[in-house]
Structure formats: structure tokens, C-alpha cells
Amino acid sequence: MVELIPSLFFRYPKTSTSLPMLPYNNGSLPIEVFEFLLNCFVRSPTWQLWLSLPLSLLFFLAMGANATLLITIWLEASLHEPMYYLLSLLSLLDMVLCLTVIPKVLAIFWFDLRPIGFSACFLQMLIMNSFLCMESCTFLAMAYDRCVAICKPLHYPSIITDQFVAKAVVFILARNTFLTAPIPIISARLHYCGKNIIRNCICAHLSVSKLSCDNVALNRIYQLIIAWTLLGSDLILIFFSYTCILRAVLRLKAKGAAAKALSTCGSHFILILFFNTILLVFVFTHMAKKKVSPDIPVLLNVLHHVIPAAFNPIVYGVRTQEIKQGIWKLLKRGG
């Protein structure tokens, strides 16, 4: 979750398009905030010009690839298996995350539509927090699926069943919604009585809560503990699963079996590491705030919601022979 660390505080130039500070009533109490202003890349405004094209291409790639994958799995009866159900869940999460974040960012880049409503901002925050953790947990379920398939192939049909997938989906939705939902709920109940300029392209929790007049120390501590606990535990268990896979693969004696398993699972593990690496890079750039432009964390914040979504269906789907055959069948039907 790339918004874990608060973004850097910096002054806006006088030529900025930011909205003015909200006025005060009777010179004492500020007017209540009903709208926020997303103001990103203030120090590097030219970034919006060259970033808008690759960002839009990544967005359309993510939406198109995930939609194709979902339609293929839905229409092809041979793909109605637990592994592909989990892949469908991953695609759904990716599409929702992209639709929640990227269209608004592109609207800012292309049309300077920076305002976002109070309720819309916290709804975006809710989806980003919960769905990113759901995606991490889905990676864990898929890693366990591959671990059982390679380490205990004879027991795979009895362990990885439709009932297992149903329970996994309920767990993924319940755990991450229950633990992350309090973050935007508590933040929305804070008093926003003066500042309304969010120095980010999205409504990241810590970028928004720092505008409050209240003490938000507990909010930030809860955010950090929950996020690192969820993502950290998932990553540890995923690493353990792939360690077991590696040990089992090295014992395979069938010709080409080890190479094939390593190629498939290796690409999956690299993608999972990439999902978490963006977060680590974000943390390191924030720690080196005196040497790194404050726009770098904002950029990573945006890319974390689109790059994994664009490459997940390619690595998990197109590299799978059954998926490629299903897509080819659909193309033949359409032709």
C-alpha cells in the first residue's frame, strides 16, 4: 500500500493552480470542507505531459487484458477450475483499482479537473486500502495453489476444490475489508476546517488526514500497523510457499519438468515481488526526502495502481497454455 508513509510537505509556487485557503467565519472559525483539491506534481508540472500517454496506454492495456481474461475464463468450460477462479478474482480486483484511480488522474492531467467531492475522496480511499490488501491476499492463495499442485500433485484435486476457493474468497474479502474499512471511516469523521489541498494525485489516507484540524497520530499508527501486518504476513507466507516449490522442483527427474515449473512459478514470484517492491522503493525515497524530489513518491503512488494490473493478466494468463488456447477458441468463434 504505497500511501503508508506521509507525503512530503512543500510549499506551492505562487503560480500554482491550487485553490485558496477556505475563508473563516467571523475571523475565527474556518468553513467546513466539502471538497478537496488534488494537486500533484507541483514541482514538476511537465511530468503530466509525458506521463499522460504511457499512463493511458497502461490503463487501456490493464482493462483490455483483464477483461479478455475474464471473458475467456467465463465462456470456456475447460477453464472452470479453482486456479482460474482465483485468477478471475485477481483480474476483478485489478480492474476495480484501475477504474478507481487512473481515470481521475488522467482527468487531472488532461483537463485540470482537480476537485474531488468529500464523499468521493473517502470512497476512493476505502477501495484503494481494501483492494490492494485483497490483491496481496489473492497472490497468497494463488501461491498456495501452485505449492500444492507441485509439492503434492496426487492430493491436489482433494485439497484445491471449489469449496476451497469459495472459503478463500470469503476470507480475502472479510479479512481485508474488516481491518482496513476503519481507516477511511475514522478519517472521514475528522474535522477538516481549513486546508483542502491534497498534495497527491489520489486520496491517500495520510495525504488527506494531515489536512485535519484534529490529532491524527492514532489514525496514522493504525494505518501503518494494519497495512504492514497484512502485506507483511502475506509476503512471508508467499515466500515460504515458493521456497517449498523450489525445493520440490529441484527434485523433479522428468526431462524438462523442472525447467517448465521454474519458468512458470518464477515469473509469478517475480511479479509478486514487483508488487511489493514499488512499496519498498516508495519508503526509501521518502526516507531520502532531502535528496529525492517530493514528486517521486506521488509518481510511485499512481504507478502502483496500474503497472501490476497491466502485467498480472499477461504473466498469469497469456503464459498459461490453457488460457492461450481458450483465447484462441474465442477468436475463432468471433471470426
Side-chain angles (χ1 to χ4, degrees), residues 120-132 177 180-185 203:
C121 184
F122 289 103
L123 177 60
Q124 185 189 68
M125 186 189 301
L126 172 65
I127 294 174
M128 289 190 300
N129 279 274
S130 59
F131 276 58
L132 281 173
T177 301
T180 60
I183 295 172
I185 293 175
C203 289

Side-chain angles (χ1 to χ4, degrees), residues 162-175:
D162 291 349
Q163 290 75 18
F164 166 81
V165 173
K167 292 177 181 178
V169 170
V170 171
F171 173 76
I172 291 169
L173 297 177
R175 184 197 77 159

Side-chain angles (χ1 to χ4, degrees), residues 40-171:
C40 52
F41 302 137
V42 177
R43 288 192 176 182
S44 308
T46 56
W47 283 23
Q48 297 188 22
L49 298 177
W50 63 262
L51 184 60
S52 61
L53 179 58
L55 187 64
S56 60
L57 292 176
L58 283 172
F59 172 69
F60 289 118
L61 173 62
M63 298 304 295
N66 283 288
T68 301
L69 193 60
L70 284 172
I71 294 172
T72 301
I73 295 174
W74 179 40
L75 295 180
E76 187 58 42
S78 62
L79 299 178
H80 293 174
E81 297 179 3
M83 180 179 68
Y84 302 110
Y85 294 148
L86 292 173
L87 186 56
S88 298
L89 175 61
L90 183 65
S91 291
L92 282 172
L93 295 174
D94 283 336
M95 292 181 72
V96 173
L97 276 171
C98 274
L99 288 172
T100 302
V101 174
I102 305 304
K104 179 60 180 177
V105 175
L106 291 176
I108 295 173
F109 288 177
W110 291 339
F111 309 110
D112 201 36
L113 297 178
R114 301 177 184 273
I116 184 171
F118 190 87
S119 299
C121 184
F122 289 103
L123 177 60
Q124 185 189 68
M125 186 189 301
L126 172 65
I127 294 174
M128 289 190 300
N129 279 274
S130 59
F131 276 58
L132 281 173
C133 291
M134 288 181 194
E135 187 167 348
S136 174
C137 199
T138 304
F139 280 134
L140 173 59
M142 296 175 72
Y144 178 72
D145 171 269
R146 291 299 86 201
C147 183
V148 175
I150 294 176
C151 299
K152 296 184 177 181
L154 298 179
H155 299 283
Y156 180 82
S158 60
I159 297 177
I160 308 299
T161 62
D162 291 349
Q163 290 75 18
F164 166 81
V165 173
K167 292 177 181 178
V169 170
V170 171
F171 173 76

